[in-house]
């Protein structure tokens, strides 16, 4: 009995040392909150910026963040499979950017499991979850106002991304509403880039030029698409067509600086990622949050692009010392 008692006392002392440490102070061992973020893809600078913001906020707020995504923005089935696995893992919260804003039935499983859900970057109407991202309707409006100032009437066309994603649909609606209600500009054509890709947007730009050679401006609902449109114009030597895109990324902003793109309606992907984690942590800790947490969407032109480009690069540790 004495031998066994000595054994257990030794174990107890060892455990005490592990908990208190060498300094003799008791350390409270707490498990980190786990937030799972399911994005639409990781195939553009925008999503990489969102990822950077998510990781930085996770570090600043002391939470564990798992970031997952399908191969591309149209891979709805894979995203739903990812979400099913995420829900089964029972994290403290889930943030999702739906590949298809009309197909989010899977999130009902999260509600049944009492897992708080949030939309990041893109929302859906089916569930009224809090949203963190840009005001996409306003993005379209800002782009339309820029054309109103730059053009004296005339025709413009639109290259929009996947209409099943509320992001692109809302930008088109905001743009169309303002043009029709407040200007003499005519929207002559809308081309859809289902994959929101660079190459597909080049084809859309080619079709617009063939069918509407008198178009004076093109609104593209993402930076990747406006870069594709710009490349097509350069390849064909087409001039005098003003381009406006969306997002903050260095290559697009550099093209604004060089005068190849008229303007960008900025949305900072890094800020979207950072604010998503900040908002979720605040909610999990019992704080009040807004139903919509919007990031700024400034108009970036040749006059102010240097400021935004420097800020963008500094956030990524690439700015000037």
């Amino acid at each position: 009995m004495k031998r066994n008692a000595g054994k257990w006392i030794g174990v107890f002392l060892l455990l005490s040392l592990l908990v208190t440490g060498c300094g003799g102070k008791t350390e409270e061992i707490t498990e980190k909150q786990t937030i799972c973020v399911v994005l639409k893809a990781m195939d553009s600078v925008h999503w990489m910026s969102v990822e950077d913001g998510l990781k930085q906020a996770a570090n600043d707020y002391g939470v564990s963040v798992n970031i997952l995504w399908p191969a591309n923005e149209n891979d709805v089935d894979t995203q739903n499979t990812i979400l099913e696995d995420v829900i089964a893992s029972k994290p403290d919260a889930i943030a999702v950017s739906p590949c298809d804003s009309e197909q989010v039935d899977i999130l009902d499983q999260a509600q049944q499991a009492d897992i708080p859900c949030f939309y990041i970057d893109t929302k859906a109407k089916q569930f009224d979850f809090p949203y963190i991202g840009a005001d996409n309707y306003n993005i379209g409006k800002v782009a339309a106002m820029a054309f109103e100032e730059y053009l004296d009437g005339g025709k413009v066309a639109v290259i929009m991304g996947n209409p099943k994603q509320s992001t692109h649909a809302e930008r088109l609606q905001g743009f169309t509403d303002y043009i029709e209600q407040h200007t003499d500009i005519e929207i002559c054509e809308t081309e859809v880039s289902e994959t929101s890709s660079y190459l597909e947007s080049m084809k859309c730009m080619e079709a617009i030029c063939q069918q509407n050679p008198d178009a004076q401006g093109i609104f593209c609902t993402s930076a990747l698409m406006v870069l594709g449109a710009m490349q097509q114009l350069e390849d064909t030597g087409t001039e005098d067509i003003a381009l406006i895109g969306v997002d903050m990324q260095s290559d697009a902003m550099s093209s604004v600086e060089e005068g190849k793109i008229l303007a960008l309606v900025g949305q900072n992907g890094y800020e979207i990622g950072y604010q998503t984690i900040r908002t979720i942590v605040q909610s999990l800790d019992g704080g009040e949050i807004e139903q919509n947490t919007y990031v700024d969407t400034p108009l970036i032109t040749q006059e102010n692009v240097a400021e935004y480009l420097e800020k963008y690069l500094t956030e990524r540790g690439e700015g000037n010392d």
Side-chain angles (χ1 to χ4, degrees):
M1 289 294 294
K2 288 182 180 179
R3 188 176 302 171
N4 288 337
K7 173 184 175 182
W8 288 114
I9 289 171
V11 170
F12 176 77
L13 290 173
L14 177 60
L15 289 173
S16 297
L17 284 171
L18 289 173
V19 172
T20 60
C22 296
K25 295 181 180 179
T26 302
E27 295 181 1
E28 186 178 349
I29 301 175
T30 58
E31 189 173 337
K32 286 185 176 181
Q33 292 171 323
T34 299
I35 301 169
C36 287
V37 181
V38 182
L39 302 177
K40 287 189 283 192
M42 195 56 68
D43 57 359
S44 72
V45 175
H46 173 69
W47 291 117
M48 294 176 190
S49 298
V50 172
E51 182 186 30
D52 288 343
L54 290 166
K55 289 180 176 179
Q56 184 60 55
N59 181 68
D60 291 349
Y61 286 94
V63 295
S64 176
V65 175
N66 299 323
I67 307 168
L68 305 159
W69 59 86
N72 60 69
E73 293 195 7
N74 290 335
D75 198 348
V76 179
D77 291 340
T78 299
Q79 188 183 57
N80 284 337
T81 298
I82 292 171
L83 281 167
E84 190 171 17
D85 291 340
V86 163
I87 293 166
S89 73
K90 297 182 179 180
D92 293 292
I94 296 172
V96 59
S97 182
C99 287
D100 187 338
S101 294
E102 303 298 326
Q103 294 188 40
V104 292
D105 294 2
I106 189 71
L107 295 177
D108 186 55
Q109 294 182 20
Q111 285 197 312
Q112 297 298 322
D114 293 324
I115 301 171
C117 291
F118 303 79
Y119 292 125
I120 171 175
D121 185 84
T122 304
K123 65 175 73 171
K125 294 180 180 178
Q126 187 172 352
F127 300 102
D128 193 26
F129 300 141
Y131 166 76
I132 304 98
D135 182 341
N136 289 296
Y137 183 90
N138 188 63
I139 281 177
K141 178 181 174 182
V142 171
M145 292 172 69
F147 274 133
E148 179 186 29
E149 182 175 347
Y150 183 77
L151 299 175
D152 183 17
K155 295 181 180 181
V156 298
V158 178
I159 302 176
M160 73 173 296
N162 190 337
K164 294 180 180 179
Q165 296 176 3
S166 64
T167 308
H168 300 290
E170 289 172 4
R171 291 172 188 173
L172 175 64
Q173 193 64 57
F175 184 79
T176 301
D177 286 352
Y178 190 89
I179 290 291
E180 292 179 349
Q181 296 169 16
H182 301 283
T183 77
D184 296 325
I185 297 171
E186 175 191 347
I187 299 176
C188 60
E189 185 177 351
T190 298
E191 286 282 331
V192 176
S193 173
E194 292 285 352
T195 61
S196 306
S197 70
Y198 184 92
L199 291 176
E200 193 171 1
S201 298
M202 290 182 67
K203 295 178 182 178
C204 290
M205 187 72 253
E206 182 181 22
I208 290 171
C209 289
Q210 290 173 350
Q211 297 166 26
N212 294 277
D214 55 346
Q216 296 173 275
I218 311 293
F219 172 48
C220 301
T221 58
S222 82
L224 196 61
M225 290 191 291
V226 79
L227 288 168
M230 181 190 76
Q231 187 63 56
Q232 179 62 28
L233 293 180
E234 289 185 346
D235 289 351
T236 57
T238 305
E239 299 179 352
D240 300 326
I241 295 182
L243 299 175
I244 295 180
V246 183
D247 293 333
M248 290 181 184
Q249 59 186 64
S250 58
D251 48 1
M253 285 191 281
S254 293
S255 295
V256 171
E257 197 167 35
E258 295 165 5
K260 297 178 180 179
I261 295 174
L262 175 64
L264 295 169
V265 187
Q267 63 160 357
N268 190 327
Y270 180 92
E271 187 68 15
I272 290 173
Y274 195 95
Q275 290 299 330
T276 295
I277 299 305
R278 184 197 67 79
T279 301
I280 292 175
V281 170
Q282 183 176 342
S283 179
L284 292 177
D285 290 346
E288 291 188 11
I289 63 170
E290 299 291 334
Q291 183 63 22
N292 295 296
T293 300
Y294 291 134
V295 299
D296 291 336
T297 52
L299 183 69
I300 301 173
T301 65
Q302 201 168 27
E303 287 70 34
N304 63 10
V305 66
E307 169 193 347
Y308 289 103
L309 184 56
E310 178 62 24
K311 181 176 184 292
Y312 174 92
L313 295 174
T314 299
E315 286 173 344
R316 287 147 191 79
E318 301 172 29
N320 296 326
D321 293 334

